[in-house]
Every structure is written in C-alpha cells, then in structure tokens.
Amino acid sequence: MTDVLQTLGIEQINAEWPNFAKCRGANWEMFFDLAESNFVIYDNAKLMCHSCLVEKQCAKYGARTKSTGIFGGVWLERGVSKELHLNRTIQ
C-alpha cells in the first residue's frame, strides 16, 4: 500500500478514506439540507457517491455515527437507511 501511495504522491498520514472521497471540496449542503428539498440536487449527490472509490466506507461511517443525510449514496436518518420521498413535479 505504501508503494501505491508514494506513486500517487500521497503521504501515509493522509491515507484516511475521507481524503479519497469524490465529494471532498464539494458543497456539503448538497448532501444534507439541499438534498431534502430538491430532487435534482438529491439525485446528483447520489450519483456522485455511486462513482466514488470510498462509497462503502462512507455509508458505514454514516450508519455508525447515526448521521442524517446522504452517506455513500444512501439517505440516512439517524444512521438508518430511509427512502426520501421528494416531490418530483417540475413547475
């Protein structure tokens, strides 16, 4: 693993899974408040997660910490997976 990290120019100390998250540097609100009220943002956030290298680690983290929001492409409420029902009518 150390050889791979060195090749990528990543120090061992920075090898924690959040450092590899595709959403790193993104607007965090798209995974929380904005996702709850806007289906386009919700769908885009989930798509970002589904193409992320650490999607599973993120979902496990959200469940373990009893978080609410999109974690690893899953909407969690207090760490439990829920289906978020949004009004998908375009006005």
Side-chain angles (χ1 to χ4, degrees):
M1 177 72 163
T2 303
D3 293 339
V4 173
L5 294 174
Q6 286 176 342
T7 301
L8 295 172
I10 300 170
E11 295 179 38
Q12 182 73 32
I13 197 164
N14 294 324
E16 299 288 324
W17 71 262
N19 292 324
F20 298 98
K22 192 168 190 173
C23 63
R24 186 173 176 172
N27 178 355
W28 287 92
E29 291 298 311
M30 75 183 285
F31 298 92
F32 304 101
D33 295 337
L34 294 176
E36 281 189 282
S37 60
N38 186 312
F39 74 88
V40 174
I41 292 173
Y42 175 78
D43 289 345
N44 284 332
K46 288 181 71 167
L47 281 173
M48 183 184 294
C49 293
H50 293 317
S51 64
C52 182
L53 297 172
V54 294
E55 177 182 18
K56 290 180 183 176
Q57 292 92 330
C58 185
K60 288 178 184 178
Y61 170 82
R64 187 178 68 248
T65 59
K66 299 185 181 344
S67 298
T68 296
I70 298 173
F71 288 83
V74 179
W75 179 262
L76 300 175
E77 289 183 18
R78 296 186 190 123
V80 177
S81 176
K82 301 279 184 178
E83 184 62 36
L84 188 62
H85 299 284
L86 297 172
N87 181 357
R88 292 186 176 265
T89 304
I90 299 175
Q91 300 180 14

